[in-house]
Amino acid sequence: IEAFVGLESLSLAHNNLTDWQELLAVQNPENIKTLRVLGNPMENNHNYRNYILELFTNLEKLDNLKLSEKLRKIVEKKTDLISRTIIPF
């Protein structure tokens, strides 16, 4: 993942990713426009999409769903609420 710095589309579906933090290995996540992570255990965390949207700031499609500006704002509000209620490490 680290070697493909100009990558715009990435499919990690069905790769046994257990935590969204495994995606931190992606170099230049702001370049990624399309990301697929379906079929991974991290889907059990209800907030995994929020974290992905924070990391991949220019994402246009997630798991074959086109991200609208309205959806992105909803996720941002939820993420802000979550970050205020979770005790930081």
Side-chain angles (χ1 to χ4, degrees):
I1 296 174
E2 296 170 2
F4 303 106
V5 293
L7 196 65
E8 291 187 5
S9 181
L10 179 62
S11 178
L12 296 171
H14 306 284
N15 273 285
N16 201 30
L17 299 173
T18 57
D19 193 313
W20 69 272
Q21 291 181 336
E22 294 177 77
L23 300 173
L24 293 173
V26 176
Q27 292 286 321
N28 300 322
E30 65 277 0
N31 291 345
I32 303 291
K33 305 232 184 291
T34 302
L35 180 65
R36 291 189 70 231
V37 293
L38 290 170
N40 287 295
M42 73 175 166
E43 288 181 290
N44 294 329
N45 178 338
H46 300 290
N47 295 318
Y48 84 97
R49 286 190 177 113
N50 299 2
Y51 299 126
I52 287 174
L53 291 178
E54 280 187 48
L55 180 62
F56 297 90
T57 55
N58 293 316
L59 205 57
E60 296 171 2
K61 261 181 137 176
L62 176 59
D63 294 333
N64 297 327
L65 298 173
K66 190 170 183 167
L67 300 172
S68 67
E69 192 60 34
K70 182 177 178 180
L71 176 61
R72 190 173 288 283
K73 287 182 183 194
I74 290 169
V75 169
E76 285 173 7
K77 284 181 184 179
K78 275 185 162 182
T79 302
D80 184 47
L81 180 61
I82 290 167
S83 65
R84 284 187 279 152
T85 58
I86 295 176
I87 299 169
F89 293 102

